[in-house]
Amino acid sequence: MDGNGRWATARGKNRSFGHRAGSANVDRIVSHAFSKGVKSLTLYAFSSENWARPKEEVDELMKLLKTYFKKFIKKVVKSDVRLVVVGGREQLSADLKKVIEDGEKQSEKNTAHYLNIAINYGGRQEIVSAVKKVLSKGEEVTEQSISANLYTAQSGDPDLIIRTGGELRLSNFLLYQGAYSELYFTDVLWPDFDEKEFDKALEEFSGRKRRFGKI
Ligand code: FPP
């Protein structure tokens, strides 16, 4: 969900204004994606590198995340969506952890869709942590055992990864799970990435030939 900062700067506003607009867009795109039949959606909300941003911006993002969980949890539970937060929890504040745990608990029996929200997430750290978990259980390290110990084990590998905001890189997102994902990059900034833009990505995805290394 890249481009909140530039979206705000272009309007003469501060970056937090962009994050608020980006946050409002989350609800719109989550509802739309599920209505289009997407089974699992993973949103990159805060990377393990984002702590290095100015404190004011980090605080605003944490506040938005807390509000999101409080505000949308009822809707998520009612729509049979299972909410899972992926990433390292230990650095999050006690009150954010509490709303996350409430959301996860209330939706744990839901099966229609998975909504994974990546907070304090880094793909490399996730792989290291999965291998450690495998070893601590005394299991053999295999592709399957690593997959089963990733944060996203319940929802599987993504078919499509979309990055808004014009940069052409993954920035440590779903490195293991994304081995055969189709990639879609758009210059559209996240707050402007509406239903029409989402449909464009799906349309392009539907024309891709997926060979998974075969011919
Ligand atoms: C990247 O844009 C975006 C982020 C680091 C934060 C994404 C967060 C949200 C959309 C809001 C909160 C999320 C939820 C799930 C409620 P940037 O700031 O790097 O933009 P720039 O590249 O234009 O500077």
Side-chain angles (χ1 to χ4, degrees):
M1 299 186 287
D2 200 8
N4 296 342
R6 280 165 285 162
W7 186 90
T9 306
R11 285 160 180 76
K13 307 276 190 185
N14 65 14
R15 297 176 56 82
S16 292
F17 182 80
H19 292 312
R20 286 194 288 278
S23 189
N25 197 36
V26 167
D27 190 39
R28 163 164 82 160
I29 292 302
V30 168
S31 304
H32 182 65
F34 290 154
S35 80
K36 297 291 276 191
V38 169
K39 176 83 184 170
S40 304
L41 187 65
T42 302
L43 300 173
Y44 205 176
F46 193 88
S47 79
S48 42
E49 289 75 34
N50 287 155
W51 296 108
R53 293 189 175 203
K55 183 177 179 308
E56 187 196 334
E57 186 174 343
V58 170
D59 289 349
E60 177 67 24
L61 283 166
M62 293 298 146
K63 202 172 91 192
L64 286 171
L65 286 165
K66 211 160 55 186
T67 309
Y68 180 79
F69 289 115
K70 278 201 204 147
K71 202 162 150 195
F72 292 108
I73 189 57
K74 281 194 193 75
K75 190 168 159 187
V76 161
V77 175
K78 266 212 300 250
S79 327
D80 200 12
V81 175
R82 179 166 173 197
L83 178 79
V84 177
V85 170
V86 302
R89 297 270 168 105
E90 53 300 323
Q91 276 164 276
L92 306 182
S93 68
D95 43 349
L96 179 56
K97 269 192 274 199
K98 168 93 176 67
V99 285
I100 289 172
E101 280 157 19
D102 285 350
E104 288 181 330
K105 185 106 197 73
Q106 288 179 47
S107 66
E108 70 187 353
K109 302 227 161 58
N110 293 352
T111 54
H113 304 279
Y114 295 104
L115 177 59
N116 301 322
I117 308 216
I119 305 176
N120 189 27
Y121 174 86
R124 288 183 174 178
Q125 294 91 320
E126 180 184 32
I127 296 168
V128 171
S129 130
V131 173
K132 283 187 178 160
K133 280 188 220 159
V134 171
L135 293 175
S136 74
K137 293 181 210 165
E139 292 171 7
E140 194 188 341
V141 176
T142 62
E143 288 191 16
Q144 288 74 17
S145 67
I146 294 177
S147 282
N149 285 279
L150 295 171
Y151 295 126
T152 57
Q154 68 292 335
S155 49
D157 295 341
D159 293 312
L160 172 65
I161 296 179
I162 299 173
R163 181 176 185 144
T164 62
E167 306 291 357
L168 305 179
R169 56 176 172 263
L170 286 176
S171 299
N172 212 5
F173 187 56
L174 302 182
L175 296 183
Y176 195 89
Q177 300 89 326
Y180 286 103
S181 302
E182 295 295 326
L183 306 179
Y184 179 86
F185 296 101
T186 170
D187 288 337
V188 175
L189 305 174
W190 172 251
D192 291 329
F193 187 80
D194 58 11
E195 292 93 337
K196 202 165 71 22
E197 293 296 334
F198 186 86
D199 290 348
K200 267 206 251 175
L202 281 193
E203 181 66 29
E204 189 176 314
F205 171 76
S206 68
R208 301 268 181 101
K209 300 255 178 303
R210 305 188 74 197
R211 290 189 293 275
F212 299 95
K214 302 180 188 112
I215 54 168

